[in-house]
Structure formats: structure tokens, C-alpha cells
Amino acid sequence: MTPTPAAAPQPIRKPNMLLLSYSRHVKSVLSALALAASALSAHAVDAGVTDTEIRLGASAVLSGPLGPQTVEYGVGSRLYFDAINQSGGIHGRKISYTTLDDAFDVKQAVENTRKLLQEQQVFMIYNNTGTGHTAAILPLAAETKTVVFSPVTGAAPLRDNFNRYLFHVRASYADEARYIQNQLQQMGIQRVALFYQDDAFGKALQAEVTKAAAASGVTLVAEVAVNPKEPDFKAAAQALAQAQPQAVIMGTGGTTFTEAVKAVRQTSIRPSFYGFSVAGFGVIKKELGDGARGIVLAQVFPAFNQTSTAVVADYHRLLKLKDPQAKPSAPQFEGFVQARMLVEGLKRAGRNLTADSFIAAMEGMGDAALSSKFVARYSPKNHNGANYVELAIVDQQGNLRY
């Protein structure tokens, strides 16, 4: 496949700062955690499981630049949950799923999670979003012995440091960065720049891109960061233009991604753009229109439009049954697959559902294959899920071509 910060940004080459950024995020919410501690004592272990219901919840970014994609994750998950509920549920229990908007704010994510655990007594945190956000809620999960299942993050520290209560499904950002870098090498592209947003999410992507480039013997010609709350896209684009890259790897998503692309295209350079799976194809297509053509995005789930794959055909069938006019999407399908993996674990845990029985069921699952290529692996020492990655390009018709 051949793809046709308020101050002026400057190179930043400190991938080891990622762990420090996590620490700052966690420290910034310590007061919130302290206030929540006594209230959380009211959360009974294995709350959220009744004779007729399994309550799930998540704090998620439902508004702002990353909101549209996250909403789509929820559509896909609820599509599968609704199908399971209509068929009688899991061992006679139906799934309910509540999401609270944190607007990508770490402190709000902690407060939302506290509410879900204390007030709504959820059994599990499912499909929450954000790197720093996930790191910040893990102490609450540990205190209440609550499983955090399939957070939307590929950050290495959340995988490298084993946590009994944390389960991943999607591939890591490291897997994606290596795949992108290998593609660039195969194409003979050596002048590669990095654009990223200066927060825990962006720094997680930046760390993996710099590691993948170093492993390939490539020196990035520029690393340009913007403050996601007050981005200066014009200054960032000028800094990239000065470096004259052939390709720009985008460590961001949503409208931050698209505004950066627009700004670069106002300069003299015409690089190819490579994005991570969290970039948000739907937003990119909506915001850029025909200008989305040629953008390459990593994908960490099978092609959502290839109905020859059984799980994809199942997704399309259920979506059409619910709304004949609905259009399939990659993030919807991701949510669908994650829900399906969760339900498999819940089924295996049996009627006597507890956090311990669920963990045992997942760890005993071994290799869970949803297609010939997508295999999620779990064991008592590994909760990291799948490492499946491929690239897709936005073609002339505005569709993702894998």
C-alpha cells in the first residue's frame, strides 16, 4: 500500500518523561482520592450483581475533540449488550451500562468513577477512556476490588506493570508505533516528524514513536507538541514545515488531528499523515472531507467492513436489525468486539459471579480468537489481550481500505 502550545513549538526528546507525567496526573488527584476513600468504604465487594442484573459503568470522554469517537465505542458495546439481554442475558442476568462524561479531565474521571462505585454500585468499570485517567482510577479499583476491563488506552506502563484487576483487549501503542515505523521503512521514507498533544495521552504516543524510530535507526527530524487546551496549530505547522518531513506521525486524535492537518496544508510541505487507531476516522472524514484521502490509520481490530469474517458479519447483522439506516464504523465495531470479549468472560465465570470468579475465568481463557488474525491472550501473568495491528488508508471514495 502506498499512501499517495500556545508558544512556538520546539523539539522535545524526552520519552522517559512519560512515567513522570503519569505521576503528575496521579498526584493531581490525590486530594480527590482522599475525599473518596471513606465514601468508597460503602462499596461492597462484588456490588452491582443481583439476581437479574449486572451493572457496568465508565467515566469516558463524551464531549470535546475526542468525544465523537468515544460515543461510537458505546454504540457498538450497547449493540452487543442489547442482543445478549434480548436473548435472556447471562445466566439470567441482564447487563446495564452507564457512562459519565469527564470531558477528558483526570480529576473528573476520578470523581465519576467514585460516583459509579459508591452511588450506582457498579460491578465493573468497562471501557473507560484515557491514559492518565486509567492510571488515576486504578487505586480506586484496587481498594474496592473492582475489575477495570478494556480501557481505551494502549500505554505501555499500564501493560508492563501487571495489575490483577486490569484487563486489556486492544493492542498497545507500542505495537502500533512499530507497525507504522516498519511501513515507513519499507517505503524508503526516512524524514519522519512527530506531532503530538502535550498531555498523558499524547506523551504515551510520543514515547512509543521515539522508541520505534530508535529501534529502526531513524532519527525523527522534528517532534512538535501543542497544548490540547490552547493549541497553536499555525506555529506547530510552521515548525513542521521547517523540518521538511516526508511523513508526519500524529500522536493525537479527534479534531486536534484534523486541525493540525489543515494547518500543515497551509504551508509549503505535503507530507503523508499516519495516525494511531484512536485518531477517529469518522471525525477525520467529517472534518476533512476529500482532504482525508491518503491519510493512513493504524487499526487494532479486524476490518469492520469485511463481512466474510464471522464476528464482522454478526456486527453488521445486529446493527441492521436495530436500525436499517445505520452506518457501520470502526469504533462501533471496536466497542462491539470489546463487549463480546467481556460477555465471554462473564459467561465463563458462571452464575456465582464475583470479581474473583471473573478474573479466574479470564485468566483461564488462554487464546481467545475472534478471527484468524485477531487473538487475545490471557493468563494468570498476562492480561494484555491482543497485539493485532494493520494499516488502512482513506481511499478515493473516502472509505478505509485495509
Side-chain angles (χ1 to χ4, degrees), residues 22 28 86 102 119 136 143 151 156 163 168 175 200 211 251 258 297 321 331 363 369 371:
Y22 288 148
S28 72
Q86 289 168 11
D102 57 41
E119 299 175 11
E143 182 179 346
N163 186 316
H168 301 280
D175 295 323
K211 281 191 282 188
T258 56
L297 300 175
L321 283 173
E363 291 180 342
S371 73

Side-chain angles (χ1 to χ4, degrees), residues 5-12 194-199 203 223-239 256 260:
Q10 55 187 343
I12 301 175
L194 169 66
F195 169 88
Y196 68 99
Q197 60 185 64
D198 192 11
D199 58 11
K203 288 177 180 177
E223 296 180 38
V224 178
V226 295
N227 179 343
K229 294 182 179 180
E230 297 180 351
D232 188 340
F233 293 113
K234 182 176 180 180
Q238 291 171 346
T256 304

Side-chain angles (χ1 to χ4, degrees), residues 112-169:
N112 285 351
T113 303
R114 182 199 64 78
K115 288 180 179 179
L116 290 165
L117 293 172
Q118 178 200 354
E119 299 175 11
Q120 301 200 22
Q121 297 278 298
V122 300
F123 170 66
M124 182 184 296
I125 300 300
Y126 165 76
N127 207 214
N128 64 289
T129 50
T131 296
H133 312 66
T134 301
I137 70 169
L138 287 179
L140 303 184
E143 182 179 346
T144 58
K145 298 182 179 180
T146 300
V147 171
V148 176
F149 190 90
S150 195
V152 184
T153 175
L158 296 174
R159 287 165 164 76
D160 297 343
N161 301 301
F162 178 80
N163 186 316
R164 182 172 186 263
Y165 295 100
L166 178 61
F167 286 86
H168 301 280
V169 176

Side-chain angles (χ1 to χ4, degrees), residues 252-298:
T252 186
T255 55
T256 304
F257 186 113
T258 56
E259 290 303 310
V261 170
K262 291 176 184 177
V264 170
R265 288 177 174 167
Q266 293 298 312
T267 71
S268 61
I269 61 171
R270 292 295 180 267
S272 298
F273 293 96
Y274 286 75
F276 284 78
S277 59
V278 289
F281 169 61
V283 175
I284 291 171
K285 184 176 179 179
K286 176 183 177 182
E287 296 294 324
L288 297 180
D290 291 345
R293 295 172 183 171
I295 291 177
V296 180
L297 300 175

